[in-house]
Amino acid sequence: MDHKRHPLLLIGTLPVVAGAAAVAASSSPPDTVYYSVAFSTIAALTTWKTLPRLTKTFINARLSGVDILKKKRPVLAEAMGFPAAIIYLITMFCFIPFPFIGWFDGEARLVHDEDPVIGTFPYHKLGEILSAILAIQSMILLGFADDVIDVRWRYKIWFPAVASVPLLIFYYTNFGVTHVVLPIQLRPYFGDLVDLGILYYVYMVMLVIFCTHTINILAGINGIEAGQALVIAVSIAFNDLLFLYNNPNKASVEAHLFSLYFMLPFIGVTFALLWHNWFPARLFVGDTFCYFAGMTFAVVGILGHFSKTLILFFMPQIFNFLYSCPQLFRLVECPRHRMPRLNADLKKLECSTVALDGDKRPVQKLGRCVLWILNSLGLLKVVRWDEHGRVAECNNLTLINLVLARFGPMSERTTTVVVLTIQAFSSALAFFIRYQQSFHVFNLAVGRSNQGDNGDMH
């Protein structure tokens, strides 16, 4: 093993191991959690061993890219998130029977092993798992298509909406709940609940699109895509573990068990992928992984009924998206690639810049106003001013470039560590907001709520 990767191993695994140990010692989780941990371990080891053996195959198939932030510009296998995602799917396929193992008596009869007169087989739970896997699988295939043929943004922005159809159909036929709990400040005017109707499905589609593309936008340096996904996944898993701890609400436990079943194998394959993608990267994860990760998060957030909590874990991605909007919506010139640039003399990364006084696209009044606001807030590094006192060149508007603009040139590895530290602190803030401050907005008791994010289940 590369000694440089040992600290990452400890940082990535200790929170999950400690949380799982605490839950196991205090509340005796179902055996299926232990089965999921075992499957996740196998998935991680399989991914770790398999990816290096596939790099030459991908390069020979011309699925490769140049690591332009290295002085020697090595050619690395691209789209390696695809085999990791396939291993994840195989793991989930093999795991499907285990949540229902108590219903089988060995003769293929759907009878519960403890109480034969107990209801019927929980088809809704099976449908929930299958619809989630189908949505994730669809997103993986569309993501791989993007890696192969490089689809334009105007088209691929809708890929997550297409892949979410199985998820939405299942939600409509099994839950159909479209009301949300309003903040206490609005209840005197609109009541405790408001039914959004079809707008709730629009919200779910937008959540899926947001989760997939925001991970894809915050990219460009070794380890950043898989790293941020791993931090978010660990945060979600820890949140699930908190709901399993001495929770008498069966519906809440089932929802977070569902989420945990999907998150544990994801943590396993993502950790193995990050091991090979960490600086200096031996492979690239590709758009496939970004789509795969985003859809997996959206699936557990929607079907686990904690979509607002999920959004809290995406605070750096939300900031990066809002910060990028002037370029994404062409208020300011947006180059095809906004990744940092390598200073070969220093062997460090510097923030990349964009010239605004060229002939391509003059900045209009609204764009100038946005740049003035960003500069006033200290969120812009101005490289040049024109003769009229206007910004002529500034940093590209991404979180990575902002970090480099504020802290100065850093090595690629250090830059990744800083951004992932921001992600980790944001998760800690998310837990503080969710478990200590939410009662100020939704009048919930401090700690775990028995009410889901949209008020329909927990």
Side-chain angles (χ1 to χ4, degrees):
M1 291 185 181
D2 187 345
H3 70 280
K4 293 181 180 179
R5 290 175 166 83
H6 282 163
L8 180 65
L9 175 64
L10 295 175
I11 293 171
T13 56
L14 281 179
V16 180
V17 172
V23 171
S26 304
S27 57
S28 299
D31 290 342
T32 47
V33 173
Y34 298 110
Y35 298 148
S36 182
V37 170
F39 274 105
S40 304
T41 304
I42 294 172
L45 293 174
T46 304
T47 305
W48 182 70
K49 293 288 289 185
T50 302
L51 293 185
R53 300 178 181 181
L54 292 176
T55 53
K56 287 186 178 180
T57 303
F58 274 62
I59 292 175
N60 292 336
R62 296 185 179 180
L63 287 172
S64 60
V66 178
D67 194 344
I68 63 174
L69 297 182
K70 304 294 186 298
K71 192 172 183 178
K72 295 184 179 180
R73 300 172 70 91
V75 176
L76 304 179
E78 183 68 86
M80 293 304 289
F82 181 70
I86 295 300
I87 293 171
Y88 174 85
L89 287 177
I90 294 173
T91 303
M92 292 306 302
F93 291 152
C94 295
F95 179 74
I96 287 175
F98 287 90
F100 312 100
I101 202 167
W103 290 88
F104 296 92
D105 64 353
E107 299 179 6
R109 292 197 300 269
L110 302 181
V111 180
H112 196 271
D113 59 352
E114 295 179 357
D115 188 355
V117 298
I118 211 173
T120 58
F121 182 81
Y123 293 102
H124 69 283
K125 183 190 288 188
L126 177 61
E128 185 178 46
I129 293 175
L130 293 178
S131 66
I133 292 176
L134 182 57
I136 295 171
Q137 176 180 288
S138 301
M139 194 70 263
I140 292 169
L141 294 176
L142 291 172
F144 188 62
D146 183 25
D147 274 326
V148 173
I149 62 178
D150 194 17
V151 182
R152 290 180 176 271
W153 264 101
R154 70 184 69 174
Y155 304 119
K156 69 181 181 182
I157 193 173
W158 303 110
F159 279 5
V162 175
S164 68
V165 171
L167 188 68
L168 300 179
I169 293 297
F170 176 81
Y171 190 92
Y172 177 78
T173 56
N174 284 268
F175 302 111
V177 176
T178 56
H179 63 261
V180 295
V181 179
L182 289 180
I184 55 178
Q185 292 82 2
L186 297 178
R187 292 177 188 176
Y189 309 101
F190 303 103
D192 291 351
L193 301 174
V194 60
D195 189 359
L196 297 180
I198 194 173
L199 292 179
Y200 193 79
Y201 292 89
V202 174
Y203 159 73
M204 288 191 287
V205 171
M206 292 177 65
L207 178 65
V208 172
I209 294 175
F210 168 80
C211 288
T212 53
H213 288 308
T214 52
I215 292 178
N216 200 12
I217 293 173
L218 185 53
I221 57 178
N222 291 172
I224 196 65
E225 298 98 328
Q228 62 182 299
L230 182 62
V231 174
I232 294 172
V234 169
S235 302
I236 294 174
F238 193 76
N239 183 64
D240 293 330
L241 291 172
L242 290 177
F243 273 87
L244 298 184
Y245 179 81
N246 292 333
N247 189 354
N249 188 294
K250 185 177 180 180
S252 173
V253 170
E254 288 294 327
H256 286 277
L257 275 176
F258 165 84
S259 172
L260 198 59
Y261 294 155
F262 278 81
M263 280 296 100
L264 290 177
F266 180 84
I267 290 172
V269 298
T270 301
F271 178 77
L273 181 63
L274 178 60
W275 186 277
H276 297 295
N277 182 238
W278 190 253
F279 178 88
R282 290 171 283 182
L283 49 81
F284 291 137
V285 301
D287 289 341
T288 304
F289 175 78
C290 299
Y291 292 140
F292 159 51
M295 178 58 80
T296 305
F297 296 147
V299 160
V300 299
I302 291 172
L303 296 183
H305 303 277
F306 57 91
S307 58
K308 290 198 290 291
T309 303
L310 175 67
I311 291 174
L312 289 176
F313 294 137
F314 274 78
M315 282 189 284
Q317 286 72 25
I318 294 173
F319 173 84
N320 185 64
F321 170 72
L322 295 176
Y323 186 55
S324 299
C325 277
Q327 288 189 310
L328 296 178
F329 293 101
R330 304 295 178 176
L331 298 178
V332 177
E333 177 63 29
C334 182
R336 178 172 175 78
H337 297 293
R338 300 184 298 160
M339 64 181 64
R341 65 187 177 200
L342 174 66
N343 186 320
D345 296 329
L346 296 176
K347 296 182 180 180
K348 293 183 178 181
L349 299 185
E350 297 177 334
C351 67
S352 61
T353 60
V354 57
L356 306 178
D357 54 354
D359 298 329
K360 285 187 177 181
R361 183 187 295 269
V363 182
Q364 303 300 320
K365 285 186 177 181
L366 182 57
R368 295 287 180 189
C369 180
V370 171
L371 292 176
W372 180 83
I373 293 173
L374 292 176
N375 189 46
S376 300
L377 295 174
L379 298 177
L380 195 70
K381 179 181 180 179
V382 180
V383 179
R384 288 189 297 111
W385 301 87
D386 63 15
E387 62 274 13
H388 302 291
R390 296 176 301 190
V391 177
E393 185 177 356
C394 64
N395 63 284
N396 278 306
L397 304 180
T398 68
L399 176 59
I400 298 173
N401 282 309
L402 180 62
V403 167
L404 291 169
R406 292 299 108 195
F407 293 99
M410 294 187 289
S411 68
E412 187 171 357
R413 183 179 184 274
T414 302
T415 305
T416 302
V417 170
V418 170
V419 175
L420 295 186
T421 301
I422 293 173
Q423 186 79 54
F425 274 110
S426 297
S427 288
L429 178 61
F431 279 108
F432 175 74
I433 294 172
R434 173 62 182 85
Y435 291 98
Q436 295 295 326
Q437 300 299 315
S438 60
F439 68 96
H440 292 303
V441 180
F442 293 101
N443 199 26
L444 303 176
V446 176
R448 294 169 308 180
S449 165
N450 287 331
Q451 201 169 46
D453 277 354
N454 63 335
D456 61 335
M457 261 190 81
H458 310 180

